[in-house]
């Protein structure tokens, strides 16, 4: 999907370039022309033979993360190019984007609006039922009621509904060694994008440490502290909550793993251990799953989590 959106952005910019070229034949505009020419300075994928860049079809193959093109700046003749290149390589933030007149370049604005739309969709979207069915995750809900209320009343996302409690008591395993919980949180897209890699890796890691797992399930409209309510009901030794993070303009697919030894109501945040930024360009989902298993094993050995846990 991201490749398709990138292609659309390039196509729009190419059309703007074409129209600008037609208009400048009659009335040249150096300022505008300079801005759009710099849009084309970004490295692009090789076009399909016999087709222009704007007409190239979308390629479905996903490139490996290591093959991503090196980021370059649009700033003309920077005084300290090496320093600027070093900054670009150290952060995915929007720096060195330059401008056309007093506004950002057209492509920068299109990408910004695209990423903002993806963040909104992540918050208001729903986890695919196919993903939940793939791992046989049954669903319980919190008292969040709807997305608007979820955003305004975090406390209601920390408590399960009466129906959710009943369902959990019926289908959940009591006093498991490890309890795995999945929740949409603030990004349903994060669950769709990462669960298929994180969960199998986590299960393999638990098996390698000789740990047993209860019945995994999904919490709709969950906040981090919903793990405390689950702890009161199922009484696991350790619990891990895989939850969608608040989306940003770099990625809307980031997941966190919150872990706790004997979760219960009234716990403070310093008693939780967390791995954050689990996504393709951050902490690798497969590596994160394996590492979560290692941390849970140490929690059981030390009977502690959070700041008391020695890693």
């Amino acid at each position: 999907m991201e490749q398709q959106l990138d292609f659309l952005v390039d196509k729009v910019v190419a059309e703007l370039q074409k129209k600008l070229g037609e208009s400048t034949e009659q009335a040249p505009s150096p300022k505008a022309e300079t801005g759009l020419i710099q849009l084309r300075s970004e490295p692009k994928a090789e076009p399909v033979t016999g087709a222009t860049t704007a007409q190239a079809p979308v390629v479905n193959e996903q490139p490996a993360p290591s093959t991503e093109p090196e980021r370059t700046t649009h700033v003309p003749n920077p005084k300290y190019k090496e320093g600027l290149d070093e900054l670009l390589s150290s952060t995915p933030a929007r720096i060195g984007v330059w401008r056309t007149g007093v506004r950002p370049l057209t492509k920068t604005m299109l990408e910004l609006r695209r990423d903002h739309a993806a963040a909104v969709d992540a918050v208001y979207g729903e986890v695919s039922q196919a993903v939940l069915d793939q791992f046989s995750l049954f669903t319980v809900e919190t008292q969040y009621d709807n997305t608007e209320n979820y955003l305004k009343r975090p406390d209601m996302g920390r408590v399960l509904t009466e129906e959710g409690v009943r369902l959990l008591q019926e289908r959940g395993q009591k006093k498991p060694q490890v309890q795995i919980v999945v929740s949409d949180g603030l990004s349903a897209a994060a669950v769709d994008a990462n669960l298929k890699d994180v969960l199998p890796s986590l299960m393999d890691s638990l098996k390698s440490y000789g740990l047993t797992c209860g019945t995994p399930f999904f919490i709709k409209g969950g906040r981090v502290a919903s793990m405390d309510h689950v702890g009161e009901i199922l009484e696991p030794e350790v619990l891990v909550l895989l939850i969608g993070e608040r989306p940003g303009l770099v990625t809307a697919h980031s997941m966190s793993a919150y872990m706790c030894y004997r979760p219960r109501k009234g716990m403070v945040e310093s008693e939780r251990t967390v791995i954050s930024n689990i996504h393709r360009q951050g902490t690798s989902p497969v590596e994160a799953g394996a590492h979560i298993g290692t941390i849970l094993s140490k929690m059981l050995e030390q009977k502690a989590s959070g700041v008391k846990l020695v890693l």
Side-chain angles (χ1 to χ4, degrees), residues 127-139 171 180 182 190-204 213-218 242 255:
V127 174
S128 169
Q129 186 60 45
V131 173
L132 301 181
D133 292 342
Q134 180 181 351
F135 298 105
S136 302
L137 303 178
F138 67 91
T139 300
R171 301 186 59 176
I180 299 174
V182 181
V191 178
D192 286 343
N194 300 301
L195 191 64
K196 61 183 179 295
D197 292 323
V198 174
L199 192 52
S201 176
L202 171 56
M203 298 299 287
D204 287 345
C213 182
T215 308
F217 64 95
F218 175 71
L242 303 173
M255 172 185 280

Side-chain angles (χ1 to χ4, degrees), residues 39-79:
L39 290 176
R40 306 292 293 176
S41 64
E42 265 194 17
K44 292 181 173 58
E46 290 295 328
V48 176
T49 304
T52 64
T53 303
Q55 296 170 335
V58 177
V59 179
N60 292 324
E61 295 180 0
Q62 294 286 343
S66 59
T67 63
E68 291 182 357
E70 183 180 352
R71 296 181 64 210
T72 57
T73 178
H74 293 297
V75 178
N77 304 317
K79 291 184 178 180

Side-chain angles (χ1 to χ4, degrees), residues 205-224:
S205 182
L206 295 177
K207 185 177 180 180
S208 70
Y209 283 106
L211 303 179
T212 59
C213 182
T215 308
F217 64 95
F218 175 71
I219 297 180
K220 187 174 182 179
R223 292 281 184 173
V224 172

Side-chain angles (χ1 to χ4, degrees), residues 94-159:
R94 286 174 169 81
I95 59 176
V97 295
W98 199 231
R99 56 186 169 79
T100 296
V102 296
R103 65 168 179 80
L105 298 177
T106 302
K107 185 170 184 178
T108 300
M109 287 303 300
L110 289 173
E111 291 175 341
L112 182 65
R113 294 182 66 177
R114 175 201 65 189
D115 293 341
H116 180 264
V120 172
D121 287 345
V123 173
Y124 285 89
E126 293 190 1
V127 174
S128 169
Q129 186 60 45
V131 173
L132 301 181
D133 292 342
Q134 180 181 351
F135 298 105
S136 302
L137 303 178
F138 67 91
T139 300
V140 301
E141 294 191 21
T142 67
Q143 298 178 3
Y144 79 104
D145 190 42
N146 57 64
T147 303
E148 294 296 334
N149 201 49
Y150 175 86
L151 296 173
K152 297 174 183 176
R153 292 285 306 275
D155 57 306
M156 298 186 75
R158 299 168 186 155
V159 182

